[in-house]
Amino acid sequence: MENKLSAKQFAMNVLNGVATGTVVVLIPGALLSELVKALIPSMPFLAPLTWGLSVSNASMGLVSGFLVGLNFKFNPIQAAALGLATLFASGAIVLRDGAIVIAGAGDIVNMLIVSAFGAGIILLVGNKLKAYTILVIPPLMMLVVGLLGNLLLPYVSKITQLVGVGVAHLLVLEPLVMCILLAIIFGVLIVSPITSVGIALAISLSGIGSGAANLGICATGFAFAMLGWSVNSRGTSIAHFIGSPKISMPNVVKNPKVLLPVMSASACSGALAYIFNIQGTPMSAGFGFSGLVGPINHLNLVDGGWSTMNLLITTLTFAIGPIIFSLIFKHLFMNVLKIVTPEDYRLNI
């Protein structure tokens, strides 16, 4: 911690920590939530996992703050204290009618602000406290960083509301144009600090609009996986669509041109939503392929339900189409236009 950090290094430490933390807490639900729901009737002992996975999601602030601390090479006490303060300020756990309840995963923008502020304070203090670190840092983080972040939360949350108002204006457009634009916007939102689920809920996005948003997110996940396939581990690549593409948020912030092939793939997937009348709900709109929430909700809503034809269409639109589009635009932007390179998609995890 004695070495001076550049502003860029500081920002990337925070972004990488929050992005990785987001995926770490979402992966359990993505892999297990729908499977557990299906198995509970025959295996009732799995029932506690349903709320256990909610606890995992609600721990996003804790895990993200801790990982930010690890990126700065903080000691365990400092990293854990930063995680606690970030969780407190995230809005994931709130007081309602005298009871502490889980209120979702929290506001990622506020997590970024709070973890950056807390990391700055810890860097200023350094290791000067020696043996008193355990007595000073945890209460300092909660009192100053956590409380300030909690007070800031209602104002930061308005960012999501404002984005939602802008997205809501797209719903009056011609359906094909609306689907393409929604797919692009949600494909970008999923790799930004803004929560895509929060936007979908704020504007009650449902029907084909929700389907288009889902396919845009699917395309983003598959595109980042394909684009970075040669430079990232297989697990990291797969995490983009099994978990969340938000793991690549630092690369997007550092080098926005990496979004060009991704947005192109999302636009084409949005067109598929219009052609095949892909359906969704406000809650499913921000998930994409993760946990199979998008595909399963479409099958539950579309006429004919889980028929063979609908299963084929769902596989085509949620997986095969996005993969094909990703490979096409990877070739175009990497090999033909030479705008991006595989190194632009490398993740340091």
Side-chain angles (χ1 to χ4, degrees):
M1 287 194 309
E2 301 299 327
N3 296 328
K4 288 185 177 180
L5 286 172
S6 67
K8 180 179 178 181
Q9 288 173 316
F10 183 94
M12 292 309 295
N13 281 349
V14 174
L15 285 168
N16 275 311
V18 174
T20 306
T22 300
V23 177
V24 167
V25 302
L26 292 179
I27 283 286
L31 293 177
L32 298 175
S33 61
E34 295 300 328
L35 176 63
V36 168
K37 288 177 186 177
L39 292 176
I40 282 177
S42 57
M43 300 180 180
F45 65 88
L46 293 175
L49 261 180
T50 56
W51 59 265
L53 295 173
S54 296
V55 171
S56 176
N57 291 346
S59 301
M60 185 181 296
L62 175 65
V63 176
S64 295
F66 184 79
L67 291 179
V68 169
L70 292 187
N71 285 345
F72 282 102
K73 295 181 170 55
F74 293 161
N75 65 44
I77 294 170
Q78 294 166 329
L82 181 58
L84 287 172
T86 306
L87 174 64
F88 176 41
S90 70
I93 301 175
V94 299
L95 185 68
R96 288 180 185 166
D97 300 324
I100 297 176
V101 299
I102 293 175
D107 191 295
I108 297 177
V109 178
N110 215 42
M111 292 180 205
L112 286 166
I113 295 171
V114 170
S115 58
F117 180 47
I121 290 179
I122 294 174
L123 286 171
L124 286 174
V125 173
N127 291 314
K128 300 181 183 68
L129 297 172
K130 305 294 184 183
Y132 295 97
T133 296
I134 195 168
L135 295 176
V136 177
I137 291 297
L140 178 66
M141 286 292 103
M142 288 296 285
L143 177 63
V144 177
V145 180
L147 183 59
L148 180 63
N150 191 268
L151 295 173
L152 191 64
L153 179 61
Y155 304 98
V156 174
S157 296
K158 291 188 182 298
I159 296 174
T160 300
Q161 296 172 17
L162 289 173
V163 174
V165 170
V167 174
H169 284 87
L170 300 177
L171 302 180
V172 300
L173 297 176
E174 191 274 329
L176 176 58
V177 176
M178 177 192 74
C179 286
I180 292 173
L181 291 178
L182 281 174
I184 294 172
I185 289 172
F186 273 81
V188 172
L189 285 175
I190 197 65
V191 286
S192 78
I194 306 295
T195 168
S196 56
V197 176
I199 297 295
L201 290 172
I203 63 175
S204 298
L205 187 62
S206 59
I208 194 172
S210 174
N214 257 318
L215 291 191
I217 293 171
C218 279
T220 297
F222 282 112
F224 272 107
M226 298 296 104
L227 288 159
W229 193 259
S230 62
V231 294
N232 293 319
S233 69
R234 295 294 174 262
T236 298
S237 296
I238 293 171
H240 282 90
F241 56 88
I242 292 295
S244 172
K246 205 173 289 289
I247 195 172
S248 279
M249 180 172 64
N251 285 346
V252 173
V253 174
K254 180 174 64 177
N255 192 6
K257 70 179 182 181
V258 301
L259 280 174
L260 291 174
V262 177
M263 293 170 66
S264 300
S266 293
C268 293
S269 289
L272 287 184
Y274 171 76
I275 294 170
F276 292 102
N277 191 33
I278 303 302
Q279 299 293 304
T281 66
M283 182 56 75
S284 73
F287 282 92
F289 195 81
S290 177
L292 299 180
V293 173
I296 288 173
N297 272 271
H298 167 67
L299 288 166
N300 288 336
L301 293 169
V302 72
D303 291 340
W306 292 65
S307 67
T308 302
M309 180 56 69
N310 283 339
L311 284 168
L312 290 173
I313 290 174
T314 302
T315 303
L316 170 67
T317 54
F318 280 88
I320 297 174
I323 290 172
I324 291 173
F325 296 142
S326 297
L327 292 173
I328 290 172
F329 289 109
K330 174 183 180 179
H331 176 73
L332 176 63
F333 283 91
M334 278 190 181
N335 302 327
V336 179
L337 300 178
K338 300 185 185 303
I339 294 176
V340 295
T341 68
E343 283 300 318
D344 293 330
Y345 299 90
R346 182 185 292 277
L347 290 172
N348 297 313
I349 298 176

